[in-house]
């Protein structure tokens, strides 16, 4: 698989204005999706920690609306390509939505579920007891899915089209 990476260090950070910004661009050819450019910015200043990441397919894409049923351990090794414009969620449980903190990434489904777990783990500490209790129950369910003992549906919507479920294993270093 084609994989080129370019790194530029010492750029000016838009947040702390120090020359501590590292820019990265990576070009990947993703099966069933095409040539994709991944961009990220990260500020090396520990007091700042500014971070931004997104990705874009080389060809123009149509809006995407898809869902994936996770019902075996094999599905955990499939992939998601997600742009910062995408909404990806487990309905009535947890979601990643577009916004200032949204980022684009390529990940295994297992990696995506672990991101959801992190969100739910934070919610278990919520001051609202109902929210915390719900999050605990959702976490239990998510763990059963990760152990291959329960099925779950993930939905994906992206008006920019720069997102997809890839229903096979890929040879990608994350
Ligand atoms: Zn900075």
């Amino acid at each position: 698989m084609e994989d080129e990476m370019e790194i530029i260090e010492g750029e000016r950070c838009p947040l702390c204005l120090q020359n501590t910004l590292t820019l990265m661009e990576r070009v990947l050819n993703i099966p069933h999706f095409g040539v994709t450019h991944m961009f990220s910015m990260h500020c090396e200043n520990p007091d700042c920690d500014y971070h931004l990441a997104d990705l874009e397919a080389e060809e123009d894409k149509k809006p995407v609306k898809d869902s994936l049923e996770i019902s075996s351990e094999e599905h955990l090794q499939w992939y998601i390509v997600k742009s910062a414009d995408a909404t990806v969620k487990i309905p009535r449980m947890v979601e990643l939505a577009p916004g200032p903190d949204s980022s684009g990434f390529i990940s295994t489904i297992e990696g995506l579920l672990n991101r959801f777990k992190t969100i739910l783990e934070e919610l278990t500490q919520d001051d609202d007891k109902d929210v915390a209790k719900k999050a605990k129950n959702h976490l239990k369910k998510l763990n059963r899915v990760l152990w291959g003992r329960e099925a779950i549906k993930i939905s994906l919507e992206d008006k920019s089209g720069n997102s997809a479920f890839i229903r096979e294993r890929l040879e990608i270093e994350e």
Side-chain angles (χ1 to χ4, degrees):
M1 188 177 300
E2 182 186 348
D3 188 347
E4 300 164 34
M5 181 141 30
E6 196 181 341
I7 300 173
I8 305 169
E9 290 177 325
E11 293 290 298
R12 193 175 170 88
C13 172
L15 197 62
C16 70
L17 309 178
Q18 306 287 311
N19 293 325
T20 43
L21 194 72
T22 302
L23 307 177
M24 252 197 295
E25 185 179 353
R26 190 175 174 194
V27 183
L28 281 170
N29 192 359
I30 304 170
H32 315 292
F33 192 70
V35 175
T36 304
H37 295 255
M38 298 180 71
F39 314 88
S40 73
M41 290 181 205
H42 177 71
C43 181
E44 310 294 338
N45 174 0
D47 297 330
C48 172
D49 221 25
Y50 175 74
H51 184 79
L52 193 73
D54 203 0
L55 52 82
E56 194 175 356
E58 202 155 87
E59 65 176 64
D60 283 339
K61 296 277 189 182
K62 290 188 183 125
V64 172
K65 199 173 177 179
D66 197 3
S67 66
L68 181 68
E69 174 96 11
I70 311 298
S71 55
S72 85
E73 277 178 283
E74 187 200 339
H75 300 157
L76 297 174
Q77 301 310 315
W78 290 357
Y79 273 77
I80 181 170
V81 180
K82 178 200 168 292
S83 86
D85 296 319
T87 301
V88 54
K89 62 183 168 188
I90 300 172
R92 292 177 303 280
M93 188 191 283
V94 61
E95 71 171 19
L96 292 168
D101 294 331
S102 179
S103 64
F105 57 80
I106 297 173
S107 160
T108 58
I109 298 300
E110 183 174 12
L112 174 68
L113 293 181
N114 280 320
R115 285 173 193 251
F116 284 144
K117 261 180 81 169
T118 305
I119 297 171
L120 291 170
E121 274 160 6
E122 276 173 30
L123 285 174
T124 63
Q125 306 301 319
D126 200 281
D127 290 336
D128 185 330
K129 286 211 169 70
D130 286 343
V131 170
K133 194 179 164 195
K134 246 187 203 164
K136 271 179 202 154
N137 287 332
H138 288 331
L139 263 180
K140 280 183 201 159
K141 187 177 167 85
L142 213 48
N143 279 326
R144 289 197 293 272
V145 174
L146 283 161
W147 295 329
R149 288 186 194 158
E150 196 167 327
I152 212 164
K153 201 177 95 175
I154 304 174
S155 73
L156 172 66
E157 264 191 87
D158 188 344
K159 288 198 183 88
S160 81
N162 289 302
S163 296
F165 290 121
I166 311 293
R167 289 165 167 84
E168 65 177 69
R169 289 178 89 117
L170 302 178
E171 303 288 326
I172 290 181
E173 266 185 65
E174 285 180 58

